[in-house]
Amino acid sequence: MHYRAVIKRTDDWWIGWLVDLPGVNAQERTREELLESLREGARDMLETEVPFEPGFEMEKVEVPEPEWVFK
């Protein structure tokens, strides 16, 4: 799976977040560490068990790959 990451160097830190998974964000000293932290955050979020109340259902929704434009 691919997720869009917005990253930026600010002084001595790299900051970033995943646009497609709100809540997954990180701050690290290097770009490589930042990208790994974002990967770990995405894995953790996607593996989180979601409690359901009686009557709720879990569905998977297929969404076609978008054509992302990187500038």
Side-chain angles (χ1 to χ4, degrees):
M1 287 187 270
H2 292 90
Y3 295 98
R4 294 174 291 172
V6 176
I7 64 172
K8 179 181 178 181
R9 185 176 183 147
T10 304
D11 298 323
D12 293 332
W13 292 92
W14 281 86
I15 61 170
W17 61 91
L18 297 183
V19 175
D20 307 304
L21 290 175
V24 176
N25 54 65
Q27 174 178 318
E28 298 290 352
R29 290 285 185 182
T30 69
R31 184 179 190 277
E32 293 74 24
E33 289 172 331
L34 173 69
L35 294 174
E36 183 55 31
S37 288
L38 292 173
R39 284 186 201 98
E40 288 177 23
R43 277 193 301 267
D44 289 347
M45 179 171 281
L46 294 170
E47 290 174 355
T48 299
E49 226 175 283
V50 179
F52 286 95
E53 295 179 21
F56 287 148
E57 298 178 8
M58 173 75 81
E59 287 288 334
K60 288 186 178 180
V61 178
E62 186 172 335
V63 178
E65 266 309 303
E67 292 185 31
W68 295 337
V69 176
F70 296 98
K71 294 182 180 184

